[in-house]
Amino acid sequence: MNKKALTVCTLVFACAVMPAFAFGKKDSAERSKQVIVYAYDSFAGEWGASEQIEQLFEAQTGYDLVIVNCGSAMETLSRAVLEKNSVQADVIIGIDNNMASLARKEGILAEYKPKNTSQLVEGLHSALGTDWKLTPYDYSHFALIYDTKSSVPAPASLFDLTKSIYKNKIILMDPRTSSTGLGFVAWTVSVFGYGTPEFTEFWKALAPNILSMAPSWSTGWGMFTKGEAPLVISYTTSPASEVEYNNNNRYKSLLFSQGHVMQVEGMGMLKGAPNADGAKAFIDFFISTQAQELLPLTQWMYPANKNAELPQSYRTAAPVPAKTLATDTDATSKAVDDVMRILSK
């Protein structure tokens, strides 16, 4: 996401952020026992990992963990940027590989290399950068999820999504507010190339087929599971949730021969964090095997810790694409304005 998009998001969110400066006037001794983490809605919400993570972290460390739901991933980043001259939180989570360069440019992150990084899946950290301002904690590939009870056939490629049979049948997320929405733009940049006639024509042809540009993944996925459209952008791991909890094979991840881009989600200590020691303790904890094994059944992403066990549902309903495409974060950032301009016509 480019700076213009971030500014829009920040201004929209400012009214919600300003009261948050008052976590309460705490003395330094009290604040040193508290760790505040800024998180996005699908992590901090009712079905996310936050409650289990909080209980486990507090039991292991004795810290008081406060996880603040900041809305979408983009809103979470915007909040940290708005507060960077008066830092309130210690850790931010949900900065993915498409947002990492922007977070660095905004100067909100402090470097910290956690313990036991040898347990991380090879290649994940490099997707977030060469320094340790961000540490990966989960990952998955973006994919279109298809409702097999739909009357329309499953598309076999990104280009198929532009066919008239899919008019008003696709749910996407707004790339200015959602990391999933930004990931879909990154995917189209990887396949068609930014600034090419193919890229522009794809989005022009796709426009009438988009039912909604949801503000967040949670909103878009909710619309999909309510049957409002047969296709939604999500992750190859998403259908595993229905298999795990409802023994339901209705939803299917579609694998395209063009290849897929991957999202790697990271966390970082905020520069000027009031409790830097607590922030480091949280980051160390969050990549531990015990904490990582909580993520597959709450975040529905692969854990970054290679020793974490996966549930059976991942083996049956979370396919791995044969081809992973490289992403271009600078081109993706530039593409967001073009995409929104095309869709507004």
Side-chain angles (χ1 to χ4, degrees):
M1 185 175 67
N2 59 23
K3 280 203 171 189
K4 180 179 178 183
L6 177 64
T7 301
V8 170
C9 183
T10 301
L11 290 174
V12 169
F13 200 54
C15 291
V17 172
M18 295 309 289
F21 284 154
F23 278 116
K25 293 282 186 179
K26 296 181 180 295
D27 61 39
S28 58
E30 186 179 359
R31 185 63 176 85
S32 69
K33 298 176 183 178
Q34 184 183 66
V35 180
I36 296 175
V37 175
Y38 279 176
Y40 49 97
D41 52 3
S42 60
F43 179 88
E46 181 181 2
W47 303 107
S50 60
E51 185 174 349
Q52 293 172 283
I53 290 293
E54 180 180 350
Q55 292 173 355
L56 186 60
F57 178 71
E58 290 182 345
Q60 289 188 4
T61 67
Y63 281 110
D64 172 26
L65 180 63
V66 178
I67 298 176
V68 181
N69 187 343
C70 298
S72 71
M74 294 298 184
E75 288 170 327
T76 305
L77 174 58
S78 295
R79 182 164 180 165
V81 170
L82 186 66
E83 295 178 358
K84 68 181 180 180
N85 294 322
S86 181
V87 181
Q88 303 297 303
D90 304 303
V91 176
I92 184 170
I93 71 171
I95 306 298
D96 74 359
N97 47 312
N98 289 312
M99 300 161 59
S101 61
L102 178 58
R104 285 187 174 85
K105 288 176 184 176
E106 291 292 346
I108 64 168
L109 301 171
E111 187 160 0
Y112 172 64
K113 183 176 181 179
K115 302 172 184 176
N116 300 321
T117 56
S118 61
Q119 296 181 11
L120 296 174
V121 173
E122 187 176 354
L124 293 186
H125 174 252
S126 61
L128 295 171
T130 57
D131 57 30
W132 282 96
K133 289 185 176 180
L134 287 168
T135 297
Y137 62 88
D138 68 17
Y139 68 101
S140 188
H141 288 81
F142 291 105
L144 271 295
I145 310 301
Y146 172 65
D147 184 346
T148 60
K149 292 189 177 181
S150 168
S151 60
V152 298
S157 67
L158 283 178
F159 185 78
D160 278 357
L161 298 177
T162 64
K163 294 180 177 179
S164 60
I165 56 172
Y166 299 116
K167 184 176 182 179
N168 292 326
K169 289 188 167 51
I170 302 170
I171 297 170
L172 299 180
M173 288 98 207
D174 191 324
R176 299 168 299 180
T177 59
S178 166
S179 62
T180 313
L182 188 63
F184 184 74
V185 174
W187 191 4
T188 63
V189 168
S190 293
V191 170
F192 300 109
Y194 172 62
T196 65
E198 291 81 5
F199 178 84
T200 302
E201 290 307 312
F202 169 80
W203 277 99
K204 285 181 177 178
L206 182 67
N209 295 349
I210 300 172
L211 175 69
S212 174
M213 293 288 279
S216 68
W217 177 89
S218 297
T219 302
W221 184 257
M223 293 173 65
F224 173 70
T225 55
K226 289 177 183 176
E228 295 187 31
L231 290 161
V232 66
I233 181 63
S234 193
Y235 303 89
T236 55
T237 44
S238 298
S241 63
E242 286 293 317
V243 172
E244 182 72 28
Y245 291 126
N246 300 318
N247 196 28
N248 179 7
N249 291 294
R250 175 174 176 173
Y251 305 127
K252 180 181 179 182
S253 299
L254 302 179
L255 300 187
F256 297 159
S257 60
Q258 295 161 304
H260 296 247
V261 297
M262 186 168 66
Q263 181 185 55
V264 179
E265 291 191 296
M267 59 182 162
M269 179 169 66
L270 288 168
K271 188 176 182 180
N275 188 356
D277 288 341
K280 294 173 183 178
F282 179 82
I283 293 171
D284 288 342
F285 159 81
F286 204 40
I287 61 170
S288 69
T289 303
Q290 191 175 9
Q292 288 276 291
E293 287 181 344
L294 296 175
L295 301 185
L297 294 180
T298 54
Q299 296 310 106
W300 300 102
M301 302 277 277
Y302 285 106
N305 186 318
K306 60 189 176 185
N307 298 321
E309 291 188 15
L310 293 171
Q312 181 61 34
S313 56
Y314 273 64
R315 298 182 179 92
T316 59
V320 178
K323 183 179 181 181
T324 298
L325 299 171
T327 56
D328 185 332
T329 55
D330 289 338
T332 297
S333 294
K334 294 174 184 176
V336 170
D337 281 346
D338 287 357
V339 166
M340 300 312 296
R341 191 179 304 115
I342 291 169
L343 297 183
S344 68
K345 293 181 179 178

